[in-house]
Every structure is written in C-alpha cells, then in structure tokens.
Amino acid sequence: MSSAQVALLGAIAGFTIYLGLPLGRLRNPSPRLRAGLNAVAIGILIFLVWDVLTHAWEPVDEALGKHDWGTVASGGLTLAVGLGIGLMGLVYYDGWIARRAVSAARNVGPGAAASAELAPRARSKAGSLALMIATGIGLHNFAEGLAIGNSAAKGELSLAVLLIIGFGLHNATEGFGIVAPLAAEGERPSWATLLLLGLIGGGPTFLGTVVGQHVVDDTVSIAFLGLAAGSILYVVIELLAVARKAALKTLTTWCVLLGLVLGFATDAVVTAAGA
C-alpha cells in the first residue's frame, strides 16, 4: 500500500465525524431531548478523557517498568505541560471572551440596541463550547492519525487498516459530541458551520496519518494527547454545568451512561486490532 493510499484511508477515518454532525440541525428539540443529547455527549467525552490519558501515559508506564528514568521524566513532564495548557489555556481564554463581552455590552447603549447586541453574544456560548470540543477532538485525532501513520511506516499495514476502521467508527460518535451543546441550547447551526467543525475535529486524523508515516516519536504523540485531554476535560466541566441547570437528574444519568457505553463500544474495534 502506497503512502498516498494510507493517507487517503486516514482521511476517510477522520471525515466519518460528519456522520454525527447533522444531529445539530434538529428543529426545536424538546427540553428532555436537549438534556439527553447534552448528557450523552458528556458520557462520550468522559470516555475520551480516559482513553486519551491512557494512551498518553502508556509510554511512560512502559519506561517505568524498564527503569528508563530519562523517558519517564521527559514523557511525564510533556504530559503534565500539555494537560495544563489544554485545560488552563481554555479557562483563561473563556475568561478573556467573557470580559470582552462585558466590555462590549457597556459600550452599546441602553435599550433595544443593547438587547439586540447581547442576544447573539449569549447564544454564542454554545457555539464556543462546540468549537472547543471540536478543537480537543482534533488534537486527539491528530494523535490517532500518528498511530495510523506509525503503523504503516513500520510495515504493519493490517494493523494500520484496522486502526482506520476503528477510528472511523469512533469519530462518528465524536461528531455527535461536538454538536450536542448546540442541540442542548436549541441552536441550529448552518451547514457551513458543521463543515468547519468537521474539518477542525476530523481533518487532523488525515494530517496525523501523513506526519506519522515520516515521524515516529512518542514525545510528539504524548504532547498532543495531553493537550487533547486538558481541553476535553474543560468542556466536560462546562457541559456538567449545563446538565445541572436542566434539573433532569435521572434522565441525565442514564444518558451519561449511554455515552460511556457508546465510547467503549466504538473503541472495542481498535482494541481488537491490537492497538
């Protein structure tokens, strides 16, 4: 299999994320449906945090067993820094956006003009969450692409193909996780917005596949996985706040469980491939 064919399959694996994105265009979902969609996304993202951190820690864990303290130190530090930047970077970014919105509101004048200005800003919170989820998943998918490319570079083509199938199934559920905040808030994104979110979330799988065929480096993979875990963890915290406001505890809990099961089910193919 040529490098171009491997890259093409990596692109297919990434762009299956579009299978879940159209759910974001549901018209006027009921409050219970919105709460359920939000909770399923939480379950999927909780699984992703665990999955990402497991893969990021794996090289460090192996180095600990071999008493390779240099790899332990560099890998552990890379993971900690990536996790910190991914998590706290979004905290500070969100704070900066909030301060800008307050400043803009003060500059708009009283009355109807101010209300008209603030309305789209209030609605943009769900859009910001969707963008953050897409970014975190994109970082995760870049690392997945690295795994595909690395397998191909080592001549393990059967493993590479199985990884592509598994990641493709996995990305289909991730697409749903991206648009869940929009559905939960009753926002209906345009097709152009869905196209952009899919490129941010799924495109890095293709890029990672291309890079992975030429660069086999655990540190690079750990760095991207750390960034992904931090950013996804931040979004989980935000979505939990949305879930609490819905005040549908039983429904939310069942749907979080469903999201976790979906995450493990789609990852089972990758595990069966020996990844």
Side-chain angles (χ1 to χ4, degrees), residues 79-141:
L79 177 56
V81 171
L83 186 62
I85 293 174
L87 177 59
M88 299 311 300
L90 287 181
V91 171
Y92 288 114
Y93 173 77
D94 200 31
W96 176 69
I97 291 295
R99 288 192 296 272
R100 283 190 61 191
V102 171
S103 177
R106 289 172 179 169
N107 292 333
V108 171
S115 298
E117 176 73 16
L118 289 174
R121 293 185 184 279
R123 290 196 300 270
S124 69
K125 178 64 175 179
S128 296
L129 274 177
L131 181 60
M132 290 176 186
I133 295 173
T135 302
I137 287 175
L139 291 167
H140 171 223
N141 284 342

Side-chain angles (χ1 to χ4, degrees), residues 59-215:
V60 181
D61 194 49
E62 290 180 359
L64 280 168
K66 299 175 182 177
H67 296 170
D68 183 357
W69 305 119
T71 300
V72 170
S74 62
L77 180 61
T78 299
L79 177 56
V81 171
L83 186 62
I85 293 174
L87 177 59
M88 299 311 300
L90 287 181
V91 171
Y92 288 114
Y93 173 77
D94 200 31
W96 176 69
I97 291 295
R99 288 192 296 272
R100 283 190 61 191
V102 171
S103 177
R106 289 172 179 169
N107 292 333
V108 171
S115 298
E117 176 73 16
L118 289 174
R121 293 185 184 279
R123 290 196 300 270
S124 69
K125 178 64 175 179
S128 296
L129 274 177
L131 181 60
M132 290 176 186
I133 295 173
T135 302
I137 287 175
L139 291 167
H140 171 223
N141 284 342
F142 183 84
E144 288 186 343
L146 289 176
I148 294 171
N150 287 175
S151 298
K154 295 174 183 176
E156 301 169 349
L157 293 180
S158 60
L159 173 58
V161 172
L162 287 171
L163 289 177
I164 287 166
I165 294 171
F167 291 148
L169 291 171
H170 207 124
N171 283 344
T173 62
E174 291 173 349
F176 167 73
I178 290 173
V179 295
L182 297 170
E185 292 298 321
E187 291 190 29
R188 195 162 181 263
S190 66
W191 287 110
T193 298
L194 294 182
L195 176 63
L196 176 61
L197 291 173
L199 284 173
I200 294 171
T205 307
F206 165 73
L207 296 177
T209 301
V210 174
V211 173
Q213 292 185 74
H214 305 285
V215 178

Side-chain angles (χ1 to χ4, degrees), residues 19 160 221:
L19 295 177
S221 179

